[in-house]
Structures are given as C-alpha cells and as structure tokens.
Amino acid sequence: MKRVALLLVAAFALTACGGPGRPVDLAVVTSADRPEPEGSGPGQAGSGGTEAPDCGDPTASLRPNGLGIPAGSTMAKIRERGRLIAGVDQNTYLFGFRNPSTNKIEGFDIDMAKQVAKAIFNDENKIQFKAISSRDRENVLANGDVDIVVRTYTINCERLEKVAFSAVYYTTGQRVLVPKSSTITRIDDLGGKKICASSGSTSLTQIARHPAKPVPWSVVNWSDCLVLLQQGQVSAISTDEPILVGMAAQDPAVKIVGPKLTEEPYGIGIPKANTDMVKFVNAVLERSRGDGSWQQSYNRWIADRLGEPASPPTPKYRD
Amino acid sequence: MARSARTTPGRLGIIASALVVLSVLTGFVAALALQTKQDTISGLAEHREPLSAAAQQIYRSLSDADATAASAFLSGGSEPVELRERYEVDLAQAGAALVKAASDVEGIPDAEKQVDTLGQQLPVYTGLVETARANNRFGLPIGSAYLREASTLMRTKLLPAAQELYRIDVGRLTDEQDDAASFPWLTVALTVILLGALIATQVYLTRRTNRLINVGLLVSTVAVGIGLIWGVAAGWVSAVAVGNARDEGSQQVDVLVQARIVALKCRADETLTLVARGEGGAEYEKEWQVLAPTISGKGDGDKDLLVKARDAATDSAVSGEVRSAIDNAQAWQEAHRKMRELDDGGQYDQAVAMAIGDDDTGAAKAFNRLDENLSSAIQKGREKFVESTSSAENALIGLVPGVAVLALIAAGGALVGIRQRLREYR
C-alpha cells in the first residue's frame, strides 16, 4: 500500500514538473580498476648514487683452500646447526622456482645451493630455503639470516661494499622481452613506455638510466613482471637473458629481442665477515666444474631453452 | 466569536471545538507515531538485521575463499577436491549475500561505494584465481604470481570494502534500534495536555452548572486515560524487548562477528606466511602476533573478544558455544606455535602439514572447529534477536487502530457532553 502511495506521489510530482524525465545514467563506470601485484609501482635506480664505486675487478674472489672444515669455522657452525640456510628465489622459472606439482623449490641456482649443502653434510637435502626478494638480498646477508644467497645475484662493486661474493658461476646479459605481436626490436624503441623489472635488481637500474628514457616499473618478484605483461599493464620486461627465457617458456605469446645490453656475472652472496665460507664455496664451485655437476645442471635447466651450449666460466681470484 | 466568547454558551462552544480538534489531532499524531515505530521495529527484523548478516557473510565467505585458495596452493599437485568445493561454495555464498546487501544501499553513498567495489572486483578476483589454477596445472610458476595478485586484490580492496559495509550496516541497525526504543515525547505530551484539558473542562462545568458528572466528558476522559495507559505500557514493554534484542542479540552477534573476522584474518596470515616461504612472510606473522591475543580467551573483556562474548552471553547455548570456541582457539594457537617452530627450524614440509593437514591436532582442524563454534553462536544470537524483536512488535499489536478509535470516542464524548450542557441554555 505504502509503495503504491509513494508511486502515485512520485508520478504526480513528475508530471507536475512538466518536462520529460531523463533516464538514469548507467555509464558512470567507464574504466576498469586493474589488479596489481603487491609492491608493484614506478621503479627507481639502485641506491648506489650516480657513479658506482671502483673496486677493480669485482669478479675476482678468494682462492679456494680445499673442502676441509676446520673446527670453529663458519662451516663447522653450520654443520652443528644441522642445516644450511640459503636465501633463494621461488618465483623465477629455471633458476629458483616452486614446482607447483611437488611444492619443492627447484632450478639452476637451487642446484648450486644444494652443492654447498652436500659439501658440508654429505647430504644435499640438509638445507632450508628462505624465499627472499631481490631487494632483500644484502639485508638478509648483513643480518646473518642466511648463510648464502643464491639468487641470480650479479656481482658488482656497489654490492661488494656490503657483502662478499663467490667466484662467478654463470655469466649472462640483460635483454628485452615483448609480446610476439609487438614491433619493438630493442630497448631504444621503448622510450616513454613501461618496462618491468624486479626492485633492487641491476636490470631496473639499467632501465632507469637508459638514454632512450623508458619508464621503469618495479615489482617484487620476476614472475609478477610476466603477469603485468600478460595483462597489458607494461610494454616490455628487461632483465638477464635466462630469466627471460624462463618467462618465454611459460608463455608462447612472447619473444626476446635486441642485443645483450650488459654483462651480468652471477655469484653466490656470503656475509662479508665469513671469508672462510667464501673460500669454501669457491672450492665447492671448483668441484662442481670438475665433476660435471655444473654441466649437468646447466643442461637440465637452461641449455635447450636458451638454445646454446655453455661451459662453466673460468674463475678469477684476487691473488 | 469575540463577543460570544464573553458569554458562557459562547465559551462552551469554543471549548467543545477545541477539545474535538485536540482529540483528533492527538489521535492522528499518536497513530502516526505508533505506525512509524511499528514499521521501524518490523524493519529491524526484516531488513536491517538480515543486511548486516549479509555483510558479515560476504566478509566471511571472501576471506575463507582466499585462505582456501592458499591452502589448495600449498597442498601442491592437483588441488584436493574438498578444498576446491569449499572455495566454490564460499564464492557462491559471497555472490548471493552481495546481491542481498546491494538491494538496500540506495541513498547511502558510503555503502553504495563498498557494494560497487565488491561488485566490480569480485569477478576480477575469480578471474585471477582461475588463471592461477590453469597455470598451476601446467606446472608453471607464474600460477603462484597470479594467486599472489589475487590475494593482494582480496586483502587490499575486497575485504576492506566488505568490512566497511558491515560496519555501516551495523551502524544503521543500532541507529534504528535506538529509534525503536525511543520515548514518544510529542505523543505523550499531547495526550497529557488533552487529558488535562478534559479534566479542566469538567471542573469548569461542575462549577458553572453544579452538576457533578458529565457523562460525555467522562467517557472522553476514560478513553484518553485508557489510550495513555495502554500506549505507555505497550511502548514500555516494546522498548524493553528492543533493548533485549540489542543487548542479547545484535550486540552479542557483533562481538562474535568481530571475533570471527579476526580468526579469518589470522588463518589467512598463517597460510600466506607459508606461501611466502621467507622474508615476505614475516609481515603476515607479525599481523598474527598482533591479532591472535584478541581471540585467545585468556585476556580481559576489553581486549579479548571471546572473553567479552562469554561474559556478555545470557543464553546458556550461546555461552556453551563461546566456551568451546575458546578451547578451540587455544588449541589452534598451540598448533600455530608448533607450526612456526617447525618452519623456523627449517622443517617446511612438516610445517605445511601442520597448517593444512587433516590431523586433529593440526591448525586447519582447530580453525574449522573455532569457525563452526562462532558460526553457530552467531546463529543463536540472531535467533535471540529475532525473538525479542518480534515480541517488541507484538506488544504494539492493535495499538494504532485502538488509539484511533479512542481518539474518536474522546472527540465524540466531548462534543456530546458539551452539547448536552449547551442545550440547557436554550
């Protein structure tokens, strides 16, 4: 009854106003609010100021001194604890990623970390993986939260001020990944366009400083970049070639273009004070080069997908 | 008129008209006020309470969907059927509750905004979860990136909107409860004035005519008296019932709902810590550490929602549920502590099993039992609310037509009574 009365009143009011009413405007929503990965936003260059400090050849590490574990050494303490704690990535296909079907973390970097565990415990499974983001790598080492960081970690002078590195275990360079339909052939074509990279990575710094002035867009994990590219929220992704290869392996609608922009030597990060650990890890790497386990890992994860064979890089030592 | 007012018959005529007008006016105002009150009370049970329940249902279902998706992810391989079903039911419930909540936000821009956010973002969320699922089935790690994006959307947009909507709906419920229990000052004042006027008229007539009783006016006075007593008594009974519905019903439910929201947030934190598997997980665990003490059942009633609910419970069934909720919350927190010890000690797989496994002492089972306790306590609180609110409504039955008839009797009585005296002057 009340509704009828209201309707009558409304009808009367409308007719009394004279002019015809306007239909209710439904087009208030004209754009969609896109979802974004956590921590996604405009990117900034690394914290190292404009000029990186000069430290000579950053890739020269400490000479290995065998696989023995002296009492009181860092390795002895790790052995006492019962497990090696490794800071790794769980979101970068081929290097460090969580296999959805087994819930285990796998990849080339993970194999390297397991080699270190195997050298200490004679058991590659005595290892605890802590997933960390690119930007946290220096922090977790400085705080002593982890024993090693094996996470597509480029050795450079800026980082050497805070952490120590093993000898180089893999060398690659930064390239660009775009949708297959894109006409872009190199990073110079991307002026004013959004390029995604993980925050705290050398790749992001490279994008931010490129003369073509692309717009750096930063995320926490590399796989977030691929999500943004698939959703059309960025025009390209730029980082080290094998990471891009890992993305292309997950999405047949993308391609890798352009020349290598940089040289990125990967090393295992170690707390700066633990020089005994640096020497030990270098001995582990030496063994893995010698007994074919490096080659085996490379062939398993990278060779076919990258389409080129490789042999382990020759280590450089300071003395 | 001015001249006739100086003569007694003239004055009587004026008094008669004034009494009739006052009676009719009082009757009209009273009937209108009572009708409004009745509408408010029936609106409480039919609209306000169901809507705040719908808003909390949206929150619960969405939060549970998010935690379930994370658990399914953690279980690895192809997701367990029961987790998938739970996720589907959660979304179906959220969708249905959203439609209900959307039906009553017109004119409340803040509520409209929340419903708008929920309506726009829920399909986006499900799209992301399905993309994650497809990629997971292919064994591609980008699936977990989509799941993280979905969870971020849930935690930064959907859940805050649902929580705000619930807050608005509870606010509206409380406001209308206050309305329904308010004292009808205007009506009572008018009735008292009318009563006074009738009595004064009778005193005046008795002095002028030396007749003790005027039947017409006496009938009027009695009618107004009955109306006043009936109205005040029924109004009082109704207000008390509305107050009971609030104290033992809706307020109790609100505390339980808050406890449930905290439990859901903690559960999501627990699973997401394991999904993050490292640095990012510290934030979730920090939130757990802040939230968990508010449902531990150990603190005092100011900070601990479960203790508050237990202390406020008047119904033995509700307090029984709250007591087992406290037991289960403590069992859960114990399981959580063990789970964190395992994870921090490097036993990730065992920690995952502790968090999502079927073990009776595990976190998943304890959380589910807690959620069931809270759900059933909320249901009982809602029943109490509806019961008390409908007795508030019943107390007012017949009052509107009753008051209208009494007002007409009062007007008629005054008219007849005074005309009788007037006739004597002719």
PDB file of all heavy atoms in Angstrom, chain A residues 85-108:
ATOM      1  N   ILE A  85      71.290 -22.671   5.613  1.00  0.00           N
ATOM      2  CA  ILE A  85      70.165 -21.785   5.298  1.00  0.00           C
ATOM      3  C   ILE A  85      70.520 -20.955   4.073  1.00  0.00           C
ATOM      4  O   ILE A  85      71.500 -20.202   4.080  1.00  0.00           O
ATOM      5  CB  ILE A  85      69.818 -20.861   6.485  1.00  0.00           C
ATOM      6  CG1 ILE A  85      69.531 -21.710   7.734  1.00  0.00           C
ATOM      7  CG2 ILE A  85      68.613 -19.996   6.147  1.00  0.00           C
ATOM      8  CD1 ILE A  85      69.216 -20.899   8.973  1.00  0.00           C
ATOM      9  N   ALA A  86      69.735 -21.141   3.010  1.00  0.00           N
ATOM     10  CA  ALA A  86      70.043 -20.475   1.745  1.00  0.00           C
ATOM     11  C   ALA A  86      68.915 -19.528   1.361  1.00  0.00           C
ATOM     12  O   ALA A  86      67.746 -19.910   1.354  1.00  0.00           O
ATOM     13  CB  ALA A  86      70.240 -21.512   0.645  1.00  0.00           C
ATOM     14  N   GLY A  87      69.275 -18.291   1.060  1.00  0.00           N
ATOM     15  CA  GLY A  87      68.301 -17.327   0.549  1.00  0.00           C
ATOM     16  C   GLY A  87      68.161 -17.528  -0.944  1.00  0.00           C
ATOM     17  O   GLY A  87      69.149 -17.447  -1.677  1.00  0.00           O
ATOM     18  N   VAL A  88      66.938 -17.856  -1.387  1.00  0.00           N
ATOM     19  CA  VAL A  88      66.736 -18.187  -2.801  1.00  0.00           C
ATOM     20  C   VAL A  88      65.490 -17.487  -3.326  1.00  0.00           C
ATOM     21  O   VAL A  88      64.793 -16.783  -2.605  1.00  0.00           O
ATOM     22  CB  VAL A  88      66.580 -19.710  -3.000  1.00  0.00           C
ATOM     23  CG1 VAL A  88      67.830 -20.443  -2.568  1.00  0.00           C
ATOM     24  CG2 VAL A  88      65.373 -20.224  -2.226  1.00  0.00           C
ATOM     25  N   ASP A  89      65.213 -17.730  -4.584  1.00  0.00           N
ATOM     26  CA  ASP A  89      64.029 -17.198  -5.237  1.00  0.00           C
ATOM     27  C   ASP A  89      63.071 -18.362  -5.414  1.00  0.00           C
ATOM     28  O   ASP A  89      63.504 -19.481  -5.652  1.00  0.00           O
ATOM     29  CB  ASP A  89      64.453 -16.666  -6.612  1.00  0.00           C
ATOM     30  CG  ASP A  89      63.401 -15.804  -7.248  1.00  0.00           C
ATOM     31  OD1 ASP A  89      62.252 -15.808  -6.759  1.00  0.00           O
ATOM     32  OD2 ASP A  89      63.727 -15.125  -8.238  1.00  0.00           O
ATOM     33  N   GLN A  90      61.747 -18.127  -5.221  1.00  0.00           N
ATOM     34  CA  GLN A  90      60.823 -19.230  -5.521  1.00  0.00           C
ATOM     35  C   GLN A  90      59.902 -18.863  -6.670  1.00  0.00           C
ATOM     36  O   GLN A  90      58.897 -19.500  -6.914  1.00  0.00           O
ATOM     37  CB  GLN A  90      60.025 -19.641  -4.272  1.00  0.00           C
ATOM     38  CG  GLN A  90      59.110 -18.582  -3.714  1.00  0.00           C
ATOM     39  CD  GLN A  90      58.112 -19.173  -2.720  1.00  0.00           C
ATOM     40  OE1 GLN A  90      57.887 -20.371  -2.709  1.00  0.00           O
ATOM     41  NE2 GLN A  90      57.525 -18.333  -1.895  1.00  0.00           N
ATOM     42  N   ASN A  91      60.231 -17.780  -7.374  1.00  0.00           N
ATOM     43  CA  ASN A  91      59.337 -17.301  -8.428  1.00  0.00           C
ATOM     44  C   ASN A  91      60.009 -17.097  -9.772  1.00  0.00           C
ATOM     45  O   ASN A  91      59.435 -16.505 -10.652  1.00  0.00           O
ATOM     46  CB  ASN A  91      58.704 -15.974  -7.993  1.00  0.00           C
ATOM     47  CG  ASN A  91      57.780 -16.165  -6.821  1.00  0.00           C
ATOM     48  OD1 ASN A  91      56.805 -16.888  -6.916  1.00  0.00           O
ATOM     49  ND2 ASN A  91      58.109 -15.554  -5.695  1.00  0.00           N
ATOM     50  N   THR A  92      61.244 -17.542  -9.911  1.00  0.00           N
ATOM     51  CA  THR A  92      61.913 -17.333 -11.193  1.00  0.00           C
ATOM     52  C   THR A  92      62.173 -18.684 -11.854  1.00  0.00           C
ATOM     53  O   THR A  92      63.038 -19.449 -11.419  1.00  0.00           O
ATOM     54  CB  THR A  92      63.221 -16.538 -10.992  1.00  0.00           C
ATOM     55  OG1 THR A  92      62.886 -15.304 -10.377  1.00  0.00           O
ATOM     56  CG2 THR A  92      63.899 -16.271 -12.312  1.00  0.00           C
ATOM     57  N   TYR A  93      61.394 -18.917 -12.894  1.00  0.00           N
ATOM     58  CA  TYR A  93      61.439 -20.197 -13.589  1.00  0.00           C
ATOM     59  C   TYR A  93      62.854 -20.473 -14.063  1.00  0.00           C
ATOM     60  O   TYR A  93      63.543 -19.572 -14.532  1.00  0.00           O
ATOM     61  CB  TYR A  93      60.465 -20.144 -14.761  1.00  0.00           C
ATOM     62  CG  TYR A  93      60.067 -21.493 -15.317  1.00  0.00           C
ATOM     63  CD1 TYR A  93      59.952 -22.607 -14.493  1.00  0.00           C
ATOM     64  CD2 TYR A  93      59.774 -21.638 -16.673  1.00  0.00           C
ATOM     65  CE1 TYR A  93      59.572 -23.837 -15.008  1.00  0.00           C
ATOM     66  CE2 TYR A  93      59.376 -22.862 -17.195  1.00  0.00           C
ATOM     67  CZ  TYR A  93      59.283 -23.955 -16.349  1.00  0.00           C
ATOM     68  OH  TYR A  93      58.896 -25.157 -16.865  1.00  0.00           O
ATOM     69  N   LEU A  94      63.297 -21.682 -13.923  1.00  0.00           N
ATOM     70  CA  LEU A  94      64.596 -22.209 -14.331  1.00  0.00           C
ATOM     71  C   LEU A  94      65.704 -21.943 -13.312  1.00  0.00           C
ATOM     72  O   LEU A  94      66.601 -22.740 -13.161  1.00  0.00           O
ATOM     73  CB  LEU A  94      65.053 -21.679 -15.713  1.00  0.00           C
ATOM     74  CG  LEU A  94      64.052 -21.837 -16.850  1.00  0.00           C
ATOM     75  CD1 LEU A  94      64.667 -21.347 -18.145  1.00  0.00           C
ATOM     76  CD2 LEU A  94      63.581 -23.283 -16.972  1.00  0.00           C
ATOM     77  N   PHE A  95      65.651 -20.834 -12.577  1.00  0.00           N
ATOM     78  CA  PHE A  95      66.725 -20.550 -11.606  1.00  0.00           C
ATOM     79  C   PHE A  95      66.339 -20.936 -10.181  1.00  0.00           C
ATOM     80  O   PHE A  95      67.052 -21.672  -9.520  1.00  0.00           O
ATOM     81  CB  PHE A  95      67.160 -19.090 -11.708  1.00  0.00           C
ATOM     82  CG  PHE A  95      68.145 -18.907 -12.805  1.00  0.00           C
ATOM     83  CD1 PHE A  95      67.717 -18.751 -14.112  1.00  0.00           C
ATOM     84  CD2 PHE A  95      69.503 -18.964 -12.544  1.00  0.00           C
ATOM     85  CE1 PHE A  95      68.628 -18.647 -15.141  1.00  0.00           C
ATOM     86  CE2 PHE A  95      70.419 -18.855 -13.566  1.00  0.00           C
ATOM     87  CZ  PHE A  95      69.985 -18.694 -14.876  1.00  0.00           C
ATOM     88  N   GLY A  96      65.224 -20.380  -9.719  1.00  0.00           N
ATOM     89  CA  GLY A  96      64.747 -20.782  -8.401  1.00  0.00           C
ATOM     90  C   GLY A  96      63.243 -20.629  -8.427  1.00  0.00           C
ATOM     91  O   GLY A  96      62.728 -19.515  -8.478  1.00  0.00           O
ATOM     92  N   PHE A  97      62.520 -21.728  -8.436  1.00  0.00           N
ATOM     93  CA  PHE A  97      61.059 -21.631  -8.516  1.00  0.00           C
ATOM     94  C   PHE A  97      60.431 -22.794  -7.776  1.00  0.00           C
ATOM     95  O   PHE A  97      61.038 -23.841  -7.596  1.00  0.00           O
ATOM     96  CB  PHE A  97      60.582 -21.599  -9.967  1.00  0.00           C
ATOM     97  CG  PHE A  97      60.781 -22.907 -10.701  1.00  0.00           C
ATOM     98  CD1 PHE A  97      59.731 -23.798 -10.853  1.00  0.00           C
ATOM     99  CD2 PHE A  97      62.022 -23.239 -11.225  1.00  0.00           C
ATOM    100  CE1 PHE A  97      59.919 -25.005 -11.516  1.00  0.00           C
ATOM    101  CE2 PHE A  97      62.216 -24.439 -11.894  1.00  0.00           C
ATOM    102  CZ  PHE A  97      61.164 -25.325 -12.043  1.00  0.00           C
ATOM    103  N   ARG A  98      59.212 -22.541  -7.326  1.00  0.00           N
ATOM    104  CA  ARG A  98      58.477 -23.577  -6.646  1.00  0.00           C
ATOM    105  C   ARG A  98      57.746 -24.385  -7.701  1.00  0.00           C
ATOM    106  O   ARG A  98      56.971 -23.849  -8.482  1.00  0.00           O
ATOM    107  CB  ARG A  98      57.478 -22.933  -5.696  1.00  0.00           C
ATOM    108  CG  ARG A  98      56.601 -23.918  -4.975  1.00  0.00           C
ATOM    109  CD  ARG A  98      55.535 -23.149  -4.233  1.00  0.00           C
ATOM    110  NE  ARG A  98      54.505 -24.036  -3.769  1.00  0.00           N
ATOM    111  CZ  ARG A  98      53.517 -24.497  -4.524  1.00  0.00           C
ATOM    112  NH1 ARG A  98      53.434 -24.146  -5.784  1.00  0.00           N
ATOM    113  NH2 ARG A  98      52.622 -25.316  -4.017  1.00  0.00           N
ATOM    114  N   ASN A  99      58.025 -25.673  -7.724  1.00  0.00           N
ATOM    115  CA  ASN A  99      57.335 -26.547  -8.672  1.00  0.00           C
ATOM    116  C   ASN A  99      55.921 -26.788  -8.150  1.00  0.00           C
ATOM    117  O   ASN A  99      55.746 -27.400  -7.102  1.00  0.00           O
ATOM    118  CB  ASN A  99      58.105 -27.864  -8.781  1.00  0.00           C
ATOM    119  CG  ASN A  99      57.487 -28.799  -9.810  1.00  0.00           C
ATOM    120  OD1 ASN A  99      56.292 -28.726 -10.090  1.00  0.00           O
ATOM    121  ND2 ASN A  99      58.308 -29.667 -10.373  1.00  0.00           N
ATOM    122  N   PRO A 100      54.890 -26.287  -8.874  1.00  0.00           N
ATOM    123  CA  PRO A 100      53.533 -26.362  -8.329  1.00  0.00           C
ATOM    124  C   PRO A 100      53.078 -27.796  -8.087  1.00  0.00           C
ATOM    125  O   PRO A 100      52.214 -28.031  -7.240  1.00  0.00           O
ATOM    126  CB  PRO A 100      52.665 -25.697  -9.392  1.00  0.00           C
ATOM    127  CG  PRO A 100      53.582 -25.026 -10.320  1.00  0.00           C
ATOM    128  CD  PRO A 100      54.928 -25.661 -10.197  1.00  0.00           C
ATOM    129  N   SER A 101      53.627 -28.745  -8.822  1.00  0.00           N
ATOM    130  CA  SER A 101      53.113 -30.095  -8.647  1.00  0.00           C
ATOM    131  C   SER A 101      53.776 -30.838  -7.490  1.00  0.00           C
ATOM    132  O   SER A 101      53.233 -31.818  -7.001  1.00  0.00           O
ATOM    133  CB  SER A 101      53.219 -30.880  -9.962  1.00  0.00           C
ATOM    134  OG  SER A 101      54.467 -30.660 -10.535  1.00  0.00           O
ATOM    135  N   THR A 102      54.952 -30.377  -7.047  1.00  0.00           N
ATOM    136  CA  THR A 102      55.603 -31.075  -5.939  1.00  0.00           C
ATOM    137  C   THR A 102      55.760 -30.206  -4.702  1.00  0.00           C
ATOM    138  O   THR A 102      56.086 -30.707  -3.635  1.00  0.00           O
ATOM    139  CB  THR A 102      57.011 -31.538  -6.348  1.00  0.00           C
ATOM    140  OG1 THR A 102      57.761 -30.373  -6.715  1.00  0.00           O
ATOM    141  CG2 THR A 102      56.983 -32.508  -7.495  1.00  0.00           C
ATOM    142  N   ASN A 103      55.535 -28.890  -4.839  1.00  0.00           N
ATOM    143  CA  ASN A 103      55.715 -27.957  -3.732  1.00  0.00           C
ATOM    144  C   ASN A 103      57.189 -27.831  -3.336  1.00  0.00           C
ATOM    145  O   ASN A 103      57.495 -27.328  -2.271  1.00  0.00           O
ATOM    146  CB  ASN A 103      54.868 -28.377  -2.521  1.00  0.00           C
ATOM    147  CG  ASN A 103      54.357 -27.176  -1.752  1.00  0.00           C
ATOM    148  OD1 ASN A 103      54.514 -26.038  -2.201  1.00  0.00           O
ATOM    149  ND2 ASN A 103      53.749 -27.404  -0.610  1.00  0.00           N
ATOM    150  N   LYS A 104      58.101 -28.317  -4.190  1.00  0.00           N
ATOM    151  CA  LYS A 104      59.533 -28.207  -3.900  1.00  0.00           C
ATOM    152  C   LYS A 104      60.129 -27.049  -4.699  1.00  0.00           C
ATOM    153  O   LYS A 104      59.646 -26.731  -5.783  1.00  0.00           O
ATOM    154  CB  LYS A 104      60.256 -29.501  -4.305  1.00  0.00           C
ATOM    155  CG  LYS A 104      59.746 -30.731  -3.580  1.00  0.00           C
ATOM    156  CD  LYS A 104      60.589 -31.019  -2.352  1.00  0.00           C
ATOM    157  CE  LYS A 104      60.126 -32.267  -1.631  1.00  0.00           C
ATOM    158  NZ  LYS A 104      59.169 -31.970  -0.537  1.00  0.00           N
ATOM    159  N   ILE A 105      61.187 -26.449  -4.137  1.00  0.00           N
ATOM    160  CA  ILE A 105      61.866 -25.386  -4.868  1.00  0.00           C
ATOM    161  C   ILE A 105      62.968 -26.011  -5.717  1.00  0.00           C
ATOM    162  O   ILE A 105      63.741 -26.845  -5.237  1.00  0.00           O
ATOM    163  CB  ILE A 105      62.434 -24.338  -3.900  1.00  0.00           C
ATOM    164  CG1 ILE A 105      61.277 -23.683  -3.153  1.00  0.00           C
ATOM    165  CG2 ILE A 105      63.231 -23.287  -4.646  1.00  0.00           C
ATOM    166  CD1 ILE A 105      61.679 -22.512  -2.288  1.00  0.00           C
ATOM    167  N   GLU A 106      63.002 -25.634  -6.993  1.00  0.00           N
ATOM    168  CA  GLU A 106      63.948 -26.237  -7.939  1.00  0.00           C
ATOM    169  C   GLU A 106      64.594 -25.155  -8.802  1.00  0.00           C
ATOM    170  O   GLU A 106      64.145 -24.019  -8.788  1.00  0.00           O
ATOM    171  CB  GLU A 106      63.192 -27.208  -8.876  1.00  0.00           C
ATOM    172  CG  GLU A 106      62.498 -28.344  -8.157  1.00  0.00           C
ATOM    173  CD  GLU A 106      61.637 -29.179  -9.102  1.00  0.00           C
ATOM    174  OE1 GLU A 106      61.535 -28.809 -10.296  1.00  0.00           O
ATOM    175  OE2 GLU A 106      61.106 -30.198  -8.643  1.00  0.00           O
ATOM    176  N   GLY A 107      65.608 -25.561  -9.552  1.00  0.00           N
ATOM    177  CA  GLY A 107      66.214 -24.650 -10.515  1.00  0.00           C
ATOM    178  C   GLY A 107      67.732 -24.698 -10.480  1.00  0.00           C
ATOM    179  O   GLY A 107      68.329 -25.396  -9.650  1.00  0.00           O
ATOM    180  N   PHE A 108      68.343 -23.933 -11.389  1.00  0.00           N
ATOM    181  CA  PHE A 108      69.797 -23.916 -11.525  1.00  0.00           C
ATOM    182  C   PHE A 108      70.459 -23.375 -10.257  1.00  0.00           C
ATOM    183  O   PHE A 108      71.397 -23.968  -9.724  1.00  0.00           O
ATOM    184  CB  PHE A 108      70.165 -23.065 -12.745  1.00  0.00           C
ATOM    185  CG  PHE A 108      71.624 -23.053 -13.068  1.00  0.00           C
ATOM    186  CD1 PHE A 108      72.263 -24.198 -13.546  1.00  0.00           C
ATOM    187  CD2 PHE A 108      72.383 -21.895 -12.909  1.00  0.00           C
ATOM    188  CE1 PHE A 108      73.619 -24.188 -13.851  1.00  0.00           C
ATOM    189  CE2 PHE A 108      73.733 -21.881 -13.217  1.00  0.00           C
ATOM    190  CZ  PHE A 108      74.355 -23.022 -13.688  1.00  0.00           C
TER     191      PHE A 108
END
